[in-house]
Amino acid sequence: MIKQMFCELNPAEQQELLQELNMVPKLVSIVSFSQKHQKKFGTNIEFENITHLGTPTYIESTVVTFYGRFTGDGSNQKIAKLNAVLNAEEKWNEIIKD
């Protein structure tokens, strides 16, 4: 069933999906990152979303943390937020010691 659905996508959609699936092992949970941020800094993270229209349509999302703003994008809001949090998590690992 999944293979059939994949084959029904046009080549550009297939390529985008494969790129997004390559990110899966690197993704962090928004909830776990938010909890970790809250515990360390006592503040919540916030998201700002910008929709870009075009072919294909994509969303850009920015997560605002105590230590900076990090942007991510994707074909939908969830992917865009996850990519923004992934960028924030990478910086966290560079500057914050748990």
Side-chain angles (χ1 to χ4, degrees):
M1 174 122 184
I2 294 173
K3 185 176 179 180
Q4 179 185 357
M5 291 171 62
F6 181 80
C7 291
E8 291 173 1
L9 298 173
N10 69 46
E13 292 170 329
Q14 289 176 348
Q15 182 177 3
E16 181 180 4
L17 179 60
L18 290 172
Q19 288 173 343
E20 289 172 6
L21 290 174
N22 277 338
M23 293 296 293
V24 170
K26 300 176 188 174
L27 294 179
V28 297
S29 163
I30 292 173
V31 172
S32 65
F33 179 78
S34 179
Q35 290 170 341
K36 181 168 70 171
H37 186 275
Q38 173 70 31
K39 183 178 178 182
K40 180 76 172 177
F41 300 112
T43 61
N44 294 320
I45 60 172
E46 296 180 18
F47 287 98
E48 300 170 352
N49 296 306
I50 302 169
T51 303
H52 293 268
L53 300 175
T55 305
T57 299
Y58 73 95
I59 307 291
E60 184 177 272
S61 182
T62 300
V63 62
V64 181
T65 69
F66 183 80
Y67 56 92
R69 300 167 60 87
F70 303 90
T71 302
D73 61 21
S75 59
N76 62 51
Q77 190 176 34
K78 182 176 181 180
I79 293 170
K81 284 182 175 183
L82 284 169
N83 285 331
V85 168
L86 174 64
N87 292 331
E89 178 76 12
E90 287 176 5
K91 186 66 172 180
W92 175 287
N93 292 333
E94 290 176 19
I95 64 171
I96 306 295
K97 302 297 182 201
D98 287 316

